[in-house]
Amino acid sequence: MNLEQASRQLEALGNPTRLQIYRTLVRAGHAGLPVGGLQERIGIAASTLSHHLKRLVDTGLVTQERHATTLICRAHYPAMDALIGYLADECCADAACVASEAAAS
Amino acid sequence: MNLEQASRQLEALGNPTRLQIYRTLVRAGHAGLPVGGLQERIGIAASTLSHHLKRLVDTGLVTQERHATTLICRAHYPAMDALIGYLADECCADAACVASEAAAS
DNA sequence: TCCCTATTTCGACATTTATCGAAGAAAGCC
DNA sequence: GGCTTTCTTCGATAAATGTCGAAATAGGGA
């Protein structure tokens, strides 16, 4: 994970609509959700949703799988883990953060 | 931490220049860095740097302290901790993520 | 008081983004 | 082959963003 990649993933999550999409997918669990299901829950135009989903897929945070005409979307946890790891490394270059981490766990 | 706040912090970090600023501050450790020191290291116009710093400070990721005419900037670790915690909660609503977390540590 | 250094604010500009509705494409069913 | 359902692409538009240089401001020092 380098700065550029982290930045792109953070930017992808740094939009309220996209974060809501991601959050909804996480809550859907392993089963995932079709694009239409996301649209019902979130209530935006299908074209807008498709646009946001494309960005999440491009950054690797979401995966898609076809089932006939429906596209199942799933949160891709390894990408999130790597992102969290990168942020933790950034943060924990300083002792103060290590201490606060220890206190939190 | 709610979705809106997390989204604003993620957006703040989701710009390569701002992530580089934050990274530089983390590496500077507890001593922090004056705005001018950041400018030397990053090499952008002072006005642009000021603009980005304002956003980082507004979201709570960076703090500033005056020493005469110089402004010392520091990464504010508790904010990053809270953000990481939020992302981990998002991610770990599913068992697969808990497993991958355990494997990573 | 006048100046000096450090930083911010002010325009200005090009680029990117978010959003929508309408039209198009993919994948199957009658 | 037509029809349906699901999703994406296209075209358009308003708003936000990133960037710069020049001017203004803040805080002390001679």
Side-chain angles (χ1 to χ4, degrees):
Chain A
M1 172 84 67
N2 55 25
L3 187 139
E4 191 188 344
Q5 192 184 349
S7 167
R8 279 185 50 218
Q9 293 187 334
L10 289 166
E11 191 204 9
L13 293 172
N15 169 279
T17 303
R18 281 195 295 270
L19 188 53
Q20 192 183 357
I21 291 171
Y22 185 81
R23 202 166 191 270
T24 305
L25 288 179
V26 167
R27 289 181 181 272
H30 181 65
L33 268 181
V35 177
L38 274 171
Q39 197 198 344
E40 277 178 17
R41 267 157 244 245
I42 296 184
I44 56 177
S47 55
T48 305
L49 176 58
S50 182
H51 163 69
H52 285 312
L53 271 176
K54 182 170 162 49
R55 298 193 55 167
L56 288 168
V57 170
D58 282 350
T59 56
L61 287 162
V62 166
T63 58
Q64 293 181 318
E65 184 190 351
R66 278 219 98 93
H67 275 249
T69 58
T70 73
L71 251 190
I72 305 296
C73 307
R74 290 193 186 87
H76 187 55
Y77 299 114
M80 176 58 86
D81 280 345
L83 179 58
I84 290 178
Y86 180 83
L87 290 178
D89 288 348
E90 294 295 284
C91 175
C92 294
D94 187 86
C97 180
V98 176
S100 73
E101 270 205 337
S105 54
Chain B
M1 174 83 68
N2 55 25
L3 186 139
E4 191 187 344
Q5 193 184 350
S7 168
R8 279 185 50 218
Q9 293 187 334
L10 289 166
E11 190 204 9
L13 294 172
N15 170 278
T17 304
R18 282 195 295 270
L19 188 54
Q20 192 183 357
I21 291 170
Y22 185 81
R23 201 165 190 270
T24 305
L25 289 179
V26 168
R27 290 181 181 273
H30 181 65
L33 268 181
V35 177
L38 274 172
Q39 197 199 343
E40 278 178 17
R41 267 157 244 244
I42 296 185
I44 55 178
S47 54
T48 305
L49 175 57
S50 182
H51 163 69
H52 285 312
L53 271 175
K54 182 170 162 49
R55 298 192 54 168
L56 288 168
V57 170
D58 283 350
T59 56
L61 287 163
V62 166
T63 59
Q64 294 180 318
E65 183 189 352
R66 276 220 99 92
H67 275 248
T69 57
T70 72
L71 253 188
I72 305 296
C73 307
R74 290 192 186 87
H76 187 55
Y77 300 114
M80 177 57 87
D81 280 346
L83 179 58
I84 290 178
Y86 180 84
L87 290 179
D89 288 348
E90 294 295 285
C91 176
C92 295
D94 187 84
C97 181
V98 175
S100 73
E101 269 206 336
S105 55

